[in-house]
Amino acid sequence: MFRFPSVLLSRRLHRRELSSSTTSHPPSLPLSHPIYLIWGSNTGVGKTLVSAGIAAAFLLSSPTPSQFHYLKPLQTGFPSDSDSRFVFNKLRQLSLIRNPHIPLSASHRVINLSPAVTASNPLAGEEGVGPPPELLCKTLYAWEEAVSPHLAAEREGLVVKDSVVLETLGECLEDVAECGAGKERSEVLCVVETAGGVASPGPSGSLQCDLYRPFRIPAVLVGDGRLGGISGTISAYESLKLRGYDVVAVVFEDHGLLNEGPLMSYMRNKVPVLVLPPIPKDPLNDLMEWFESSHYIFSNLKEIMLSAYFERIKKLHDMPREARDIIWWPFTQHKLVPDGGVTVIDSRCGENFSIFKVQKTEVIAPQFDACASWWTQGPDAIMQTELAREMGYAAARFGHVMFPENVHEPALNCAELLLQGVGKGWASRTYFSDNGSTAIEIALKMAFRKFSVDHGLIVHCHEDTTNERSTELMVLALQRSYHGDTLGAMEAQAPSSYTGFLQQPWYTGRGLFLDPPSVFMHNSTWNVSIPEGYHLESLKGKSITFASPDEIFHKGRDKSELATVYSSYISKVLSGFRGSNNVGALIMEPVIQGAGGMHMVDPLFQRVLVNECRSRKIPVIFDEVFTGFWRLGVETAVELIHCVPDIACFGKLLTGGIIPLAVTLATNAVFDSFIGDSKLKALLHGHSYSAHAMGCAAAVKSIQWFKDPCSNPNITSEGRLLRELWDDKMVHRISSHPAIQRVVALGTLCALELKAEGNNAGYGSLYARPLLEKLREDGVYMRPLGNVIYLLCGPCTSPEVCNQLLVKLLRRLEEFDVCKN
């Protein structure tokens, strides 16, 4: 028998700040061998007995040498109460009974002790026996007082961040993989036993079901066979499922109440329910007889665990091939998807994908979703759980219900929040739809009606004039615009790769498309690029540059010579357009044009354009499907361009990105243009799932969450702005890089265009692919717009994480530039 040297007991005795936030990726989860979390429906239900039973079934019945790892991340009541020591001792005892001539080699370590433990037990590290161990037991963090970890941590001076707990656990799981190197998959098994119940707090105060969620380790739930145990077990099971855990089995001690019947009925036989024999109140032979009588149950449980593991591994390996055979991906040329180019996403936790990777070994690795899954995502891990809970409640309460002439609480609350938030000061009506493109089509119908009423184009609204077209209305829009993929929305955008005959043979482009000036940073300076066609004589010799975005958005620019240039250009183009009297709507993406290449339009130009349309009674539509809800650092781009629309469309971040929902907001004047005595004058447009309760409930939670400083630390004290997320010095360095044409950094967006010519430029370019492949190796998932690449974080993302992204990007840019040269 020996004691581990003190150097192995790396005791971190300094007090850590109470925090659950992280500034780095959680560690990867190795898949070389099965790993399971052992959860309890409550404290005192026998989790450690189950862990020991699984260990015995695995180690003491195997004909081949096996290895079992028992990890206890959090232990209170130490050293008098030590679950890892219990497993260590019990397995040694059982080994002597079953194989008296072949002693079990085992080790036991305690890694981090609180000052209270070390003061009274200076040699609290445990012993090991024999050659390289078959049983390895570890306690990661131990406190002396037998209370919840968050209380013990606070009282004893070892308060540990969630990120630190995960990092330590990740290191131990990597050790499991290293120790098992060279062994068959089925020859190593690891269990991680939690403390207390599923929702018991960890040392930072976070619930353990949230604390361990980044790993999403498959679960075995130890239920409760006592009176009230059915309810407790089901509640624990639902808490795990709500967070996306896979529960492979439920096991509990028999108390003679037949709890297994209702539990099996509830599980619908999809999850095995195993019943252990009663634990004797006066255990003889130190529970050895009980373990022997439970051997068959534990052997069955072990087989269930191994079978689920192998099934998971097979599925992860097969998914890319199966997907290639039956899925048609959007915006993807299948012929250009390389071997190994299909990313298998096992789950999502906050801002990170958890992806399946095969390198030296198989792992589930975190990858920051830097395209925000097509601009929809914003929640951190805590908000993700909150949204899941809200949607579950709405689904259970409402399912789906018809909406016209009806109302339900989520829809009413959502509409009120929208009018008090993004529509404050101008909007009075909320129209629900299902996605951004259809929200645009609704907006066009609204605008055209308002224009037709204002200009006397509608005479007999009580008559069905479906087939009459006295006037062909058109839109006023911008080059590089993009408003969605449906046919009507595409008609309202300028010709592009998305609208050509190859993609949309019906496209005609029913509009006048202005070429707008753009703003970008290059060589640490913000510049305005003005296309040909503008009369710039008054500005000759003057440099149009800015020191900061604040100068660009300042309303004082309205009195500048450039404003006069813009006004003259707009008036000239409109006056020279043959169908200018039939321009029934202005539609534009305020400030940032997304799919058109992440171009920043000069807000002064857009403001002048809106004013010109106002003078001509042309309704104004803002397409804020991308820019809305803090994407640009403010809740709505109205706050940046200092003018309001008649109609605006929102989607994507509206629900936190967890479920599709879109809205079109409108003024009373727009709404009134649809009011009359005939139903034929109403807005005859709708969706089967209009204002679905789950989406509205998610939107209510998201709107409130993003703007509340208590839940979003990036909100400034005034509650109107996000703090700066992208490090200014790093952005300036990137803008000065020789491989970069332009940079736009605003709010949650940092976009850059790579210098490219010919076929290397434009939407169809593959120029950026090598760079993005390297960034994915770094744990950053990006998707290009040709030779334009971008980082898109969420409103809650910490500046520290954003800075890490920029550091990785700059490092890979240096390598990319060297390769191209």
Side-chain angles (χ1 to χ4, degrees):
M1 203 175 281
F2 64 91
R3 291 195 177 275
F4 283 94
S6 58
V7 69
L8 293 179
L9 303 174
S10 53
R11 298 164 179 164
R12 299 160 185 155
L13 304 181
H14 59 280
R15 184 176 182 82
R16 294 182 174 92
E17 176 187 359
L18 180 65
S19 171
S20 62
S21 64
T22 62
T23 58
S24 60
H25 284 313
S28 298
L29 175 69
L31 294 179
S32 52
H33 304 93
I35 302 171
Y36 281 90
L37 272 171
I38 307 297
W39 294 96
S41 59
N42 205 337
T43 189
V45 293
K47 295 189 300 296
T48 310
L49 287 174
V50 169
S51 296
I54 296 170
F58 187 75
L59 287 176
L60 306 182
S61 303
S62 175
T64 58
S66 301
Q67 195 175 82
F68 188 90
H69 295 257
Y70 173 87
L71 302 178
K72 182 75 174 182
L74 309 173
Q75 177 72 64
T76 59
F78 188 88
S80 58
D81 188 5
S82 171
D83 294 338
S84 58
R85 186 194 299 123
F86 178 90
V87 173
F88 177 78
N89 289 334
K90 282 292 173 283
L91 263 292
R92 289 167 59 198
Q93 290 176 285
L94 283 168
S95 173
L96 291 174
I97 292 173
R98 296 189 188 176
N99 302 302
H101 302 297
I102 308 176
L104 179 73
S105 59
S107 68
H108 180 219
R109 286 183 58 190
V110 183
I111 301 177
N112 299 282
L113 304 174
S114 79
V117 175
T118 55
S120 56
N121 299 274
L123 296 176
E126 288 295 339
E127 66 272 15
V129 292
E134 301 164 87
L135 172 67
L136 298 93
C137 300
K138 291 181 184 177
T139 295
L140 276 57
Y141 293 91
W143 296 266
E144 185 176 42
E145 191 173 0
V147 293
S148 178
H150 73 290
L151 291 176
E154 184 65 32
R155 293 173 182 177
E156 298 180 27
L158 182 64
V159 180
V160 191
K161 291 182 179 181
D162 290 358
S163 58
V164 176
V165 174
L166 291 176
E167 182 180 353
T168 306
L169 177 56
E171 291 170 356
C172 291
L173 295 177
E174 288 176 6
D175 289 344
V176 171
E178 291 177 8
C179 289
K183 292 184 176 292
E184 296 293 327
R185 292 182 187 273
S186 58
E187 292 177 353
V188 179
L189 178 61
C190 174
V191 300
V192 181
E193 185 183 314
T194 61
V198 164
S200 295
S204 77
S206 299
L207 305 186
Q208 287 180 69
C209 49
D210 294 324
L211 166 59
Y212 298 119
R213 174 57 182 81
F215 284 120
R216 208 184 78 87
I217 299 171
V220 172
L221 175 61
V222 181
D224 192 344
R226 297 169 295 190
L227 184 64
I230 297 170
S231 175
T233 303
I234 291 174
S235 295
Y237 176 82
E238 290 192 341
S239 291
L240 292 173
K241 295 296 286 185
L242 177 72
R243 290 163 174 80
Y245 288 98
D246 295 327
V247 180
V248 302
V250 175
V251 58
F252 62 89
E253 176 198 355
D254 184 11
H255 284 264
L257 299 177
L258 303 178
N259 284 7
E260 62 271 23
L263 287 174
M264 291 172 69
S265 177
Y266 170 78
M267 304 290 179
R268 301 185 186 278
N269 296 318
K270 293 182 179 179
V271 178
V273 178
L274 307 178
V275 182
L276 294 166
I279 299 172
K281 294 182 179 179
D282 184 20
L284 300 174
N285 197 23
D286 208 14
L287 287 177
M288 291 300 103
E289 291 183 7
W290 182 84
F291 276 109
E292 289 298 322
S293 65
S294 306
H295 177 67
Y296 174 77
I297 302 297
F298 285 123
S299 294
N300 191 10
L301 177 57
K302 176 200 70 174
E303 292 303 321
I304 291 170
M305 295 164 70
L306 291 176
S307 175
Y309 164 76
F310 282 109
E311 182 179 344
R312 182 188 188 191
I313 294 297
K314 182 178 185 304
K315 184 178 294 185
L316 290 169
H317 277 282
D318 290 347
M319 283 173 68
R321 174 185 53 79
E322 293 174 352
R324 282 178 177 274
D325 290 342
I326 64 174
I327 288 175
W328 192 338
W329 287 300
F331 290 96
T332 299
Q333 175 51 261
H334 283 231
K335 190 175 182 180
L336 297 179
V337 179
D339 292 337
V342 179
T343 300
V344 178
I345 301 177
D346 180 71
S347 67
R348 181 188 191 97
C349 186
E351 297 163 317
N352 293 317
F353 295 149
S354 295
I355 67 165
F356 176 59
K357 295 177 69 174
V358 181
Q359 296 173 325
K360 294 180 180 179
T361 182
E362 301 142 320
V363 296
I364 297 293
Q367 199 170 63
F368 188 90
D369 179 9
C371 63
S373 287
W374 270 342
W375 320 341
T376 63
Q377 295 301 298
D380 55 18
I382 299 173
M383 184 182 175
Q384 182 178 336
T385 300
E386 292 283 335
L387 289 173
R389 185 183 297 113
E390 291 296 322
M391 288 178 57
Y393 169 75
R397 179 179 172 185
F398 295 102
H400 177 61
V401 294
M402 191 77 172
F403 193 58
E405 300 178 53
N406 297 325
V407 68
H408 51 76
E409 191 175 354
L412 185 60
N413 290 345
C414 182
E416 289 173 345
L417 283 171
L418 288 165
L419 297 180
Q420 295 164 7
V422 292
K424 186 176 182 179
W426 67 270
S428 62
R429 294 285 171 169
T430 302
Y431 197 100
F432 289 97
S433 59
D434 57 350
N435 66 73
S437 185
T438 50
I440 291 294
E441 300 211 358
I442 292 163
L444 291 170
K445 289 184 177 182
M446 290 179 177
F448 291 153
R449 172 67 64 84
K450 179 66 167 65
F451 179 86
S452 298
V453 170
D454 287 349
H455 293 263
L457 302 181
I458 295 178
V459 181
H460 301 293
C461 296
H462 62 282
E463 297 177 1
D464 186 354
T465 57
T466 302
N467 297 317
E468 295 182 14
R469 288 288 187 275
S470 59
T471 304
E472 287 289 340
L473 296 183
M474 308 185 78
V475 299
L476 179 62
L478 304 182
Q479 296 287 342
R480 302 189 301 265
S481 60
Y482 182 86
H483 301 293
D485 300 330
T486 53
L487 298 182
M490 295 182 84
E491 285 296 298
Q493 59 201 43
S496 69
S497 302
Y498 308 110
T499 62
F501 187 84
L502 197 61
Q503 296 296 332
Q504 217 286 63
W506 280 1
Y507 174 78
T508 59
R510 302 184 189 186
L512 170 61
F513 304 105
L514 306 180
D515 197 0
S518 59
V519 183
F520 58 89
M521 179 186 285
H522 182 68
N523 284 333
S524 299
T525 301
W526 286 94
N527 303 270
V528 177
S529 175
I530 301 178
E532 294 181 4
Y534 289 72
H535 294 294
L536 301 175
E537 289 80 5
S538 62
L539 296 174
K540 280 185 178 178
K542 296 182 180 179
S543 175
I544 310 175
T545 61
F546 301 93
S548 71
D550 290 341
E551 293 183 10
I552 298 168
F553 293 114
H554 199 282
K555 201 170 185 304
R557 293 181 64 205
D558 288 357
K559 299 178 181 179
S560 66
E561 293 181 16
L562 189 56
T564 303
V565 170
Y566 289 163
S567 180
S568 174
Y569 167 78
I570 294 167
S571 297
K572 178 184 175 183
V573 173
L574 278 173
S575 299
F577 181 55
R578 187 173 57 183
S580 60
N581 292 333
N582 297 334
V583 173
L586 165 66
I587 181 169
M588 64 181 187
E589 301 155 275
V591 185
I592 297 291
Q593 296 179 309
M598 294 297 175
H599 289 273
M600 180 174 171
V601 179
D602 188 350
L604 174 61
F605 175 84
Q606 292 191 314
R607 190 159 56 248
V608 171
L609 180 57
V610 168
N611 291 337
E612 181 68 28
C613 289
R614 289 265 185 264
S615 69
R616 296 170 181 258
K617 291 188 177 180
I618 298 174
V620 176
I621 302 169
F622 282 2
D623 177 356
E624 289 219 59
V625 173
F626 170 51
T627 61
F629 297 107
W630 307 102
R631 198 45 96 195
L632 305 185
V634 289
E635 191 172 23
T636 166
V638 164
E639 299 179 44
L640 294 177
I641 63 173
H642 306 295
C643 59
V644 298
D646 301 292
I647 304 163
C649 303
F650 296 88
K652 295 191 184 294
L653 262 181
L654 169 61
T655 64
I658 202 160
I659 191 170
L661 184 74
V663 294
T664 305
L665 303 188
T667 63
N668 255 332
V670 173
F671 175 74
D672 288 343
S673 65
F674 288 84
I675 300 301
D677 297 327
S678 170
K679 184 174 182 178
L680 298 178
K681 194 179 181 183
L683 179 50
L684 302 182
H685 191 114
H687 301 274
S688 302
Y689 290 93
S690 290
H692 56 89
M694 287 193 294
C696 290
V700 168
K701 174 62 69 173
S702 297
I703 293 168
Q704 294 171 332
W705 188 280
F706 287 141
K707 69 187 348 175
D708 185 353
C710 295
S711 51
N712 183 1
N714 290 333
I715 294 290
T716 59
S717 57
E718 298 83 8
R720 293 184 60 250
L721 299 171
L722 291 182
R723 61 175 170 163
E724 290 295 331
L725 300 179
W726 307 105
D727 181 76
D728 195 50
K729 292 181 180 179
M730 285 294 296
V731 172
H732 280 247
R733 285 184 63 187
I734 292 172
S735 78
S736 302
H737 193 280
I740 299 303
Q741 183 71 35
R742 62 179 176 90
V743 170
V744 173
L746 184 65
T748 67
L749 170 69
C750 182
L752 49 147
E753 180 178 346
L754 302 174
K755 285 183 180 178
E757 298 177 353
N759 292 334
N760 286 332
Y763 181 75
S765 166
L766 301 178
Y767 187 68
R769 175 179 280 182
L771 173 62
L772 300 194
E773 288 175 351
K774 291 296 183 181
L775 284 164
R776 290 187 184 185
E777 291 177 10
D778 295 338
V780 183
Y781 184 95
M782 298 172 69
R783 187 176 172 88
L785 293 164
N787 59 313
V788 174
I789 64 174
Y790 60 92
L791 297 167
L792 199 62
C793 66
C796 302
T797 308
S798 71
E800 291 80 10
V801 168
C802 291
N803 190 55
Q804 291 174 10
L805 296 173
L806 292 177
V807 169
K808 292 177 179 179
L809 175 59
L810 183 58
R811 184 176 69 246
R812 291 302 189 181
L813 273 175
E814 299 287 356
E815 298 173 3
F816 178 77
D817 189 47
V818 169
C819 292
K820 293 300 178 184
N821 292 327

